[in-house]
Amino acid sequence: MALLELENVHSYYGNIHALKGISLTVEQGEIVTLIGANGAGKSTTLKTISGIIDPRKGSVRLEGEDLVAYRAHEVVSKGVIQVPEGRRIFTRLTVRENLEMGAFLRNDTQEIKKDLEWVFSLFPRLEERQNQVGGTLSGGEQQMLATGRALMARPRILLMDEPSMGLAPVLVDLIFDTIKDLNEQGMTILLVEQNALLALDVADRGYVLETGMITLAGDAKELAANPQVKEAYLGG
């Protein structure tokens, strides 16, 4: 049984048919990436999994349990945690307070302290700035904070939406090194990323979305070598 499975999912924005029968799986311990142009339905897929958008048809299952009936905060309590596009940190809270908000649904105080130290070990910059207000951080630091906040919820699967967006190349490398490190520690990750070359480099498998439909799927290295993918997403 897959950790996460979407079957024939149709999602809408009003009358706009955004996802047209999406089916995909993510196995325990994998990095799976969704690639495609702007407007292809990548972020909509993550929002549907997270319960932010209710699909009109189809199922979203976590280890066999259908999540469609649950509200977004209930989906979080199941361990489906999203790092949203654009970071979406709490700009008026400190770095430490942002991280503590990630553990809002938990009450295991000692384990929360351990996880905080773990996040600081992943992102030493956050420890240095733990008393600084989140809104004063750089874009790269805010991405670290958004990722750290998600990790504080102890995700069973981590959904990452465009983690490289707007970052300098050196910070993009840092974020993707962290993604690989997390996966090596056992984290299952579903990654949406505009930079298809980077995404396919770290992923085990991938899906190509075009106008709300999956047009290609397979091993990440095979997709990276596919002439159609190369021409459309990897600069030829």
Side-chain angles (χ1 to χ4, degrees):
M1 181 187 299
L3 176 63
L4 179 70
E5 183 175 12
L6 277 66
E7 185 175 3
N8 193 32
V9 170
H10 293 256
S11 294
Y12 289 74
Y13 294 102
N15 293 323
I16 299 171
H17 197 173
L19 297 183
K20 304 168 185 174
I22 295 288
S23 295
L24 61 85
T25 60
V26 183
E27 301 290 342
Q28 180 74 46
E30 279 191 312
I31 299 178
V32 173
T33 187
L34 306 180
I35 62 173
N38 284 334
K42 305 185 303 297
S43 294
T44 303
T45 300
L46 295 193
K47 290 176 181 176
T48 301
I49 295 167
S50 296
I52 297 168
I53 295 173
D54 293 326
R56 294 190 190 175
K57 184 179 179 182
S59 62
V60 178
R61 294 189 292 271
L62 184 70
E63 291 189 322
E65 181 181 13
D66 200 338
L67 301 179
V68 169
Y70 292 113
R71 299 173 67 181
H73 71 277
E74 295 171 320
V75 174
V76 168
S77 72
K78 299 288 183 181
V80 179
I81 311 299
Q82 184 167 342
V83 183
E85 179 182 349
R87 277 65 103 172
R88 302 291 182 88
I89 64 163
F90 299 102
T91 57
R92 295 184 181 182
L93 299 183
T94 66
V95 167
R96 189 182 187 94
E97 288 167 341
N98 266 275
L99 294 173
E100 289 170 346
M101 286 298 292
F104 182 76
L105 293 178
R106 297 172 56 186
N107 54 18
D108 51 340
T109 306
Q110 292 305 314
E111 292 301 310
I112 290 172
K113 288 181 180 178
K114 290 180 183 178
D115 286 347
L116 187 61
E117 293 305 313
W118 173 54
V119 169
F120 284 154
S121 73
L122 290 171
F123 301 113
R125 189 80 59 86
L126 297 183
E127 184 171 22
E128 294 169 9
R129 287 161 166 62
Q130 62 180 293
N131 296 316
Q132 188 171 328
V133 174
T136 64
L137 300 178
S138 69
E141 290 164 347
Q142 289 190 15
Q143 185 62 53
M144 295 175 202
L145 182 55
T147 304
R149 180 183 61 190
L151 295 175
M152 290 296 294
R154 285 199 172 175
R156 292 165 69 187
I157 182 167
L158 186 65
L159 313 180
M160 302 194 74
D161 195 354
E162 303 284 8
S164 77
M165 182 178 288
L167 301 186
V170 65
L171 293 173
V172 172
D173 290 344
L174 173 62
I175 292 297
F176 272 80
D177 284 345
T178 303
I179 289 171
K180 288 188 284 187
D181 185 27
L182 288 170
N183 181 246
E184 287 168 1
Q185 294 182 45
M187 185 74 65
T188 305
I189 298 170
L190 179 57
L191 172 66
V192 160
E193 177 54 56
Q194 189 78 17
N195 189 325
L197 188 62
L198 272 176
L200 291 171
D201 184 56
V202 301
D204 299 296
R205 293 187 300 110
Y207 294 87
V208 178
L209 269 67
E210 294 180 9
T211 59
M213 295 179 286
I214 291 172
T215 56
L216 285 171
D219 177 85
K221 289 182 174 57
E222 292 176 0
L223 286 177
N226 182 296
Q228 182 181 341
V229 174
K230 278 186 171 182
E231 182 177 356
Y233 306 109
L234 305 180

